[in-house]
Amino acid sequence: MTSALHTSALTSLPLLARGKVRDNYAVGDDRILMVASDRISAFDVIMGEPIPGKGVLLTQMALFWFDQLGPKGLNICPIHLTGDAPESVVSASEAAQVTGRSMLVKRLKPIPVEAVVRGYLAGSGWKEYQENQAVCGVKLPAGLKNASRLPEPIYTPAAKAAVGEHDENISFEQTVAMIGVDLAGRIRDISLQLYVAARDIAAAKGILIADTKFEFGLDADGTLVLMDEVLTPDSSRYWPTDLYEQSYREGSNPPSYDKQFLRDWLETAQINGKPWDKTPPAPRLPREVIEKTAAKYEEAMKRLMA
């Protein structure tokens, strides 16, 4: 296994914040260096063991999607990349911590809404559908099953939570109350455009994107900008097309290229002989779980970028 970076330790830049995966450093007052560590979280809890190579893989996949969807590609909306090399803002001795796993981005005013788009019924969406035949206030047809493809993609936002807390599914009307009807509507419409475009690109590579989430910010001029990371296995459910149909017929979760493997293992994990209650600390990850999780991420990138 390759070496892993659980937590970056740059001293040449001021640390702004550490998230579940990324460490953000200030570069002046108008840029941020985002360093993708090899940390992994599940159920909003950060695992103690890193997944070697994960940060590099996430960054390369995000850059791929920014190229496809941003000004270099379909130009659906502005993106937060500056185009500057991350190595240019750290000391030479720290370059190894940022090479391949970092993005130098514009500093924006984050919008506190996770823009979730679902093309298939899975995860919390499936649970909510079973209760009231709707997801985040969006009514759906009767008779859908776990992993059913939806008649059309739906926008199901969430309110962003602090690290260690759970994001809360909310309705579109609640986002309007939070940020105003114009901004809420633009985020919804752009998110749906981004998802449909990405879905079609991935489908040509044998991948189904079941759902994903986007994050946006405003620049100094009030322009809406796509930020953070996009369409990686950390923020999306990736299913192999060739294995989806059989799993769907059997009523089981399709095999995935994301951290569902880790989630499934954690559902059966124990601490001191008792089932883990999904609060810190997390169970210690066995080597087999680390290696299989890393392999899932790597396969997703290989398929997507082939």
Side-chain angles (χ1 to χ4, degrees):
M1 297 176 71
T2 59
S3 60
L5 179 72
H6 186 279
T7 305
S8 65
L10 304 181
T11 58
S12 57
L13 296 172
L15 177 68
L16 289 174
R18 295 194 195 278
K20 294 172 186 173
V21 174
R22 285 167 185 80
D23 299 334
N24 292 339
Y25 296 86
V27 182
D29 58 7
D30 61 345
R31 294 182 297 171
I32 293 175
L33 180 66
M34 297 175 55
V35 182
S37 73
D38 294 327
R39 296 190 296 271
I40 192 168
S41 68
F43 306 113
D44 293 310
V45 177
I46 298 171
M47 303 294 109
E49 296 75 35
I51 306 299
K54 176 174 172 283
V56 171
L57 183 148
L58 292 181
T59 301
Q60 298 311 308
M61 288 185 74
L63 292 172
F64 168 84
W65 284 116
F66 278 125
D67 280 350
Q68 295 290 317
L69 305 173
K72 291 182 180 179
L74 297 173
N75 199 21
I76 294 173
C77 65
I79 61 175
H80 70 160
L81 297 179
T82 64
D84 302 327
E87 295 84 355
S88 67
V89 297
V90 299
S91 65
S93 62
E94 294 173 336
Q97 291 188 61
V98 305
T99 298
R101 64 168 70 245
S102 304
M103 295 186 290
L104 193 53
V105 304
K106 301 170 186 175
R107 194 163 186 170
L108 305 169
K109 179 183 178 182
I111 297 171
V113 172
E114 298 224 322
V116 180
V117 181
R118 302 174 189 271
Y120 293 76
L121 198 55
S124 63
W126 166 238
K127 291 179 181 178
E128 190 175 341
Y129 173 82
Q130 290 175 284
E131 295 171 0
N132 55 28
Q133 208 170 301
V135 182
C136 294
V138 180
K139 285 293 184 182
L140 294 173
L144 298 180
K145 301 190 300 182
N146 183 32
S148 285
R149 178 166 178 160
L150 300 176
E152 60 184 25
I154 60 173
Y155 177 67
T156 60
K160 292 176 67 174
V163 175
E165 298 181 9
H166 296 283
D167 296 335
E168 177 188 358
N169 288 349
I170 57 177
S171 66
F172 174 71
E173 289 72 24
Q174 286 173 287
T175 68
V176 170
M178 291 169 62
I179 61 176
V181 64
D182 176 67
L183 192 54
R186 283 192 287 147
I187 289 174
R188 176 196 59 198
D189 295 347
I190 291 172
S191 296
L192 287 166
Q193 290 179 56
L194 290 167
Y195 172 80
V196 169
R199 177 198 65 189
D200 294 347
I201 292 169
K205 304 294 183 72
I207 295 172
L208 298 179
I209 302 179
D211 53 41
T212 192
K213 66 177 180 180
F214 303 106
E215 296 194 34
F216 294 89
L218 297 173
D219 68 10
D221 297 324
T223 301
L224 186 64
V225 180
L226 180 63
M227 59 175 245
D228 201 60
E229 55 88 37
V230 289
L231 291 153
T232 73
D234 264 13
S235 61
S236 317
R237 280 187 176 84
Y238 276 61
W239 294 340
T241 304
D242 53 356
L243 300 178
Y244 166 76
E245 284 297 337
Q246 179 181 351
S247 300
Y248 180 64
R249 288 195 301 270
E250 295 172 350
S252 59
N253 283 322
S256 62
Y257 293 139
D258 49 45
K259 55 186 175 184
Q260 191 60 47
F261 174 81
L262 173 63
R263 293 191 194 101
D264 291 344
W265 180 84
L266 288 168
E267 290 281 11
T268 64
Q270 296 189 346
I271 294 181
N272 297 325
K274 296 181 180 179
W276 181 47
D277 62 1
K278 298 176 184 174
T279 62
R284 184 170 181 82
L285 303 184
R287 183 181 181 88
E288 177 188 10
V289 171
I290 293 172
E291 291 178 343
K292 285 189 175 181
T293 301
K296 293 282 186 182
Y297 277 69
E298 187 174 355
E299 187 173 356
M301 186 172 75
K302 284 182 177 178
R303 278 212 183 196
L304 185 64
M305 302 176 74

